[in-house]
Amino acid sequence: MSHMERALEMARRAIGTVSPNPAVGAVVVSEGVVVGEGNTQPPGGLHAEVEALRRAGSRAAGAVMYTTLEPHAHHGRTPPCTQAIIDAGIAEVRSAVTDPNPRVNGAGFARLRDAGVTVRVGECAEHAHELIEAYAKHVVTGLPFVTAKFASSLDGKIATTTGDSRWITSAEARAYAHDLRAASDAVVVGIGTALADDPQLTARDEHGKPLARQPTRVVLDSRARLPTTARMLAEPGDTVVAVARAPDARRRALERAGARVVQAPSADGAVDLGALLAELGRGDTTGVLVEGGGVLLGSLFDAGLVDKVVAFVAPTIIGGAEAPSSVAGAGAQRIADAVRLSRVRTLHLGRDVTIVGYCEK
C-alpha cells in the first residue's frame, strides 16, 4: 500500500461522521517511515492534517505529508491547516485533489508554496474525488449529491405482482446497502414504499444495532398519508415528511408523532423535488440516498436530478407484466434520450452484481 493509499484508507474511516465537512485522510512520512496519521474529526474537531501532525510531533520537521484533499488556508471552524503544516516544518505536501470550495480552490497550495513547501497534486485523484463527491457538489451549488439505489431481478423487477420483495438480493448486497445508508446525510423514500414496507430506514451495524449517527429519514408524501404509527417515527434520528397540499390536521398529527413536516408543493400537486433538495441543502445535507420506489426514482430521473446510480442486480427472474420495475416515471421516448452512465464499475457481492456509475449530464 502506498502512502497516499493509506491516506485514502484513513479518510474512509471518517465517512458518515464528519458532514458537512469532507472526509479527509493525512499521513506524515519521515525518511520512508510513517510517523503520524489522522483523519477528519466530527465538526468542530481537528482536521486530518492537524491530527496527523499532532501524532507526528517533532518528527514532522522535514517530512512529507500525504493528504487526500488540499489543506485549507482560511479561518473556519478551525484555524488554517496550512499554517499548522508550515509551523511543523513539513518540507513537502502531496495532495490527491484540489479543494473545490471557492474559499480554497488552490489558495491552500499557494500559501504552502509561498512558505517554501513543495506541493505535488494528482496521485490517486479519482479515488480521492469519489470520497468528497457529495461535499464537492454541495459546497459549489448548495444542493445535495443524489445517489439512486435500487435492487432488482435480472429482468428489472423490484417485486412480484403480489408486492413481495424480500429478499431479492443477497445478504452481502444488503450489508453494502447499509454501508451506503450510513455514509449518507439523508435517506429518501416515496410514500408508496413507506406504506408497503413500513421501513425503519436506520443505519445499523453488523449486529443489527442502530449506529450512533443516523441519516435523516425523508418521506415524499404529498398528501401526508404516512401513519403516525410508522416504525421510522420511533427510531433514533430525525424524520422529515415532505408534503404538497396536505390537510392541516394530518400535518399536525405527524408533527406530534415526532416528524418535521416540510411543504414543497409543485404545480401538479406533487412534491417539488427540486425545491425539496434545495431545502435539504440549506440544512447542510450534502448527500442523499434515494431508496425507492420506482415512482420516486422515475420522477428524479425524469427531472435530471440523479447524480449517481448504485444498482444491485440479482440472478433471478421474477416475470409478470404487472410486476413493478426499478424506475417508473415518464421515461425516455427514444433510446438516444435515455440516461447513460459513465465511469461505470461493477462489484460482485455474494451472488449479485452491483453496477455503480454516474449520470451523464
Side-chain angles (χ1 to χ4, degrees):
M1 179 185 295
S2 71
H3 296 311
M4 187 62 79
E5 288 170 337
R6 176 60 181 171
L8 288 167
E9 183 178 294
M10 293 297 296
R12 292 187 186 99
R13 297 181 183 182
I15 291 175
T17 64
V18 299
S19 184
N21 292 334
V24 180
V27 174
V28 178
V29 178
S30 178
E31 298 182 350
V33 177
V34 174
V35 295
E37 55 188 21
N39 52 26
T40 312
Q41 300 302 297
L46 297 178
H47 283 199
E49 300 92 332
V50 179
E51 179 75 5
L53 290 172
R54 182 183 65 83
R55 295 183 180 183
S58 61
R59 295 172 294 179
V64 178
M65 174 178 280
Y66 293 79
T67 69
T68 58
L69 184 67
E70 175 187 6
H72 75 285
H74 63 279
H75 282 272
R77 287 180 175 148
T78 60
C81 289
T82 50
Q83 193 59 51
I85 292 169
I86 294 165
D87 292 344
I90 291 288
E92 181 177 338
V93 170
R94 299 184 182 182
S95 287
V97 291
T98 301
D99 191 333
N101 187 338
R103 299 184 68 185
V104 187
N105 198 22
F109 292 148
R111 178 70 186 94
L112 291 172
R113 289 188 176 108
D114 288 345
V117 179
T118 300
V119 175
R120 302 183 191 279
V121 186
E123 184 180 353
C124 297
E126 184 174 350
H127 293 293
H129 188 271
E130 185 172 6
L131 288 175
I132 64 160
E133 59 194 11
Y135 161 79
K137 179 181 179 182
H138 182 261
V139 80
V140 173
T141 68
L143 297 173
F145 186 89
V146 178
T147 299
K149 187 223 82 177
F150 50 86
S152 71
S153 62
L154 197 57
D155 56 335
K157 306 297 185 180
I158 60 174
T160 67
T161 53
T162 64
D164 183 28
S165 61
R166 297 195 175 191
W167 294 100
I168 292 176
T169 54
S170 64
E172 293 88 345
R174 295 197 299 274
Y176 182 75
H178 262 279
D179 291 342
L180 292 175
R181 187 181 287 178
S184 303
D185 291 336
V187 179
V188 184
V189 297
I191 185 59
T193 296
L195 293 175
D197 299 341
D198 192 16
Q200 293 167 291
L201 292 185
T202 48
R204 297 176 179 267
D205 62 20
E206 64 271 21
H207 305 296
K209 182 180 179 181
L211 300 179
R213 180 264 186 193
Q214 290 292 327
T216 299
R217 299 176 289 272
V218 182
V219 181
L220 269 71
D221 185 9
S222 59
R223 290 177 288 160
R225 291 187 291 152
L226 185 72
T228 56
T229 56
R231 291 198 299 170
M232 70 177 73
L233 294 174
E235 291 293 322
D238 299 324
T239 299
V240 171
V241 179
V243 303
R245 296 182 177 89
D248 289 342
R250 287 295 308 146
R251 293 202 302 269
R252 289 194 296 269
L254 286 169
E255 289 171 343
R256 286 194 299 270
R260 180 165 70 91
V261 178
V262 172
Q263 295 192 71
S266 66
D268 61 1
V271 173
D272 186 320
L273 296 174
L276 174 62
L277 290 174
E279 174 66 19
L280 292 173
R282 284 190 290 271
D284 277 346
T285 295
T286 65
V288 301
L289 180 69
V290 183
E291 297 200 13
V295 173
L296 171 57
L297 288 170
S299 297
L300 286 165
F301 278 110
D302 287 345
L305 295 174
V306 178
D307 297 298
K308 185 177 184 178
V309 172
V310 179
F312 301 92
V313 182
T316 305
I317 307 297
I318 292 179
E322 302 303 319
S325 60
S326 306
V327 179
Q333 298 298 305
R334 303 180 305 155
I335 294 298
D337 298 327
V339 176
R340 299 183 185 278
L341 302 183
S342 61
R343 290 181 283 156
V344 175
R345 69 176 187 272
T346 58
L347 309 171
H348 292 273
L349 298 169
R351 62 191 178 90
D352 304 321
V353 174
T354 303
I355 300 169
V356 181
Y358 295 83
C359 297
E360 296 180 351
K361 296 184 178 182

